[in-house]
Amino acid sequence: MILFDFDQCVNDTLALLISILTSTFIIVTTSMATVAHIFYWDASYVLHYLKAKWKGYGSSASPGSVYDVFVTYDTKDPWVSEWVLEKLRVKLEDEGDKALPLCLEERDWPPGTPLIDNLTHSIRCSRKTLFVLTQAYAKTGVFRLAMYLAHQRLLDENLDVILVLMLEPALQHSHFLRLRRRLCGESIVEWPRTAAAEPWFWQNLRNVVRVDNQTMYTSTYSQYFTGSQERE
């Protein structure tokens, strides 16, 4: 019969130390991954915004702008595609005092070009990037990639070009949208629930597209500053 003396085989102090280090590593790694997943866009947005504020905003009406708006949306959803092509396009390009040229994936993207190249070119060559959000589209990689590239313009050119159109209630618990509403609330518009409010919605959208986001930031901070002075 062979007997094992575990006390001689295992160093209790060493085993405890390894256990503590391993547990700590797993907890820290898991926590960092979770925080990065939840707050990545918020942290990215804040850093880009602060850098742009530090350097000063540029005007989005750059000489290289071919389109007024690049519209990114869920092209795999027939209802959304029809809404963009038959309603949004008509209201912005064909109606109103001044036509606002749009860049649309299904109409203007050359076939066979990689997605990243089309997205980059469309965002760089447009004054604004309009995200038509639905619950399904907000979960796609295309939306995240387009949002990242739009943030890159804020980082590289000090241009905030992001507009958000809430076609459906999406990202209701998003810290990014909450922060966006506070800093530049006019850049987020919601599709009205009643037909009677649609004329106002289209007029408001046209105004938001025409105006630089810098102006909307400025007005937001001016109102806040004035309110603070009045309270004092």
Side-chain angles (χ1 to χ4, degrees):
M1 180 180 295
I2 301 176
L3 298 177
F4 291 97
D5 189 350
F6 287 98
D7 292 335
Q8 295 180 358
C9 296
V10 179
N11 187 322
D12 293 338
T13 303
L14 179 61
L16 179 61
L17 180 61
I18 294 175
S19 176
I20 293 175
L21 291 176
T22 303
S23 301
T24 303
F25 176 77
I26 294 175
I27 293 173
V28 171
T29 303
T30 305
S31 300
M32 290 179 62
T34 303
V35 170
H37 176 74
I38 296 175
F39 297 106
Y40 170 77
W41 292 107
D42 307 320
S44 175
Y45 178 72
V46 170
L47 291 175
H48 292 178
Y49 169 74
L50 291 177
K51 183 174 181 180
K53 288 289 288 183
W54 177 262
K55 291 185 176 181
Y57 283 104
S59 172
S60 59
S62 60
S65 297
V66 178
Y67 306 97
D68 273 300
V69 190
F70 165 54
V71 184
T72 175
Y73 56 98
D74 190 357
T75 57
K76 297 181 180 180
D77 187 325
W79 177 77
V80 177
S81 291
E82 181 180 1
W83 187 88
V84 170
L85 296 173
E86 301 299 329
K87 275 197 171 184
L88 180 67
R89 182 194 63 80
V90 172
K91 292 293 183 180
L92 296 185
E93 283 191 335
D94 298 340
E95 298 182 5
D97 299 332
K98 180 183 177 181
L100 300 171
L102 306 183
C103 178
L104 303 173
E105 173 183 346
E106 296 178 282
R107 184 190 66 181
D108 301 312
W109 281 11
T113 304
L115 172 65
I116 183 67
D117 293 341
N118 274 324
L119 279 175
T120 301
H121 176 78
S122 299
I123 292 173
R124 293 283 179 179
C125 293
S126 303
R127 287 185 56 253
K128 299 285 186 75
T129 297
L130 177 64
F131 293 85
V132 180
L133 281 191
T134 58
Q135 294 182 11
Y137 186 55
K139 299 176 182 178
T140 64
V142 176
F143 164 72
R144 289 180 174 270
L145 179 59
M147 183 64 73
Y148 171 78
L149 293 173
H151 273 122
Q152 279 299 114
R153 290 201 68 182
L154 180 61
L155 180 64
D156 299 338
E157 305 173 40
N158 302 324
L159 295 177
D160 183 358
V161 299
I162 297 173
L163 299 177
V164 179
L165 194 164
M166 307 291 290
L167 192 59
E168 292 179 353
L171 300 178
Q172 294 300 299
H173 302 291
S174 168
H175 298 284
F176 163 74
L177 279 186
R178 292 177 186 175
L179 183 62
R180 184 79 186 176
R181 289 183 190 276
R182 289 187 177 185
L183 296 177
C184 192
E186 295 179 31
S187 66
I188 300 177
V189 295
E190 298 184 12
W191 176 245
R193 297 181 180 181
T194 60
E198 289 185 17
W200 178 87
F201 166 83
W202 292 117
Q203 183 58 47
N204 181 51
L205 180 59
R206 293 180 67 87
N207 293 338
V208 169
V209 168
R210 290 172 178 169
V211 176
D212 281 350
N213 283 8
Q214 176 191 358
T215 304
M216 292 187 279
Y217 274 110
T218 303
S219 62
T220 301
Y221 278 102
S222 297
Q223 293 172 7
Y224 175 78
F225 181 72
T226 301
S228 298
Q229 287 185 324
E230 291 177 352
R231 286 193 295 270
E232 293 175 358

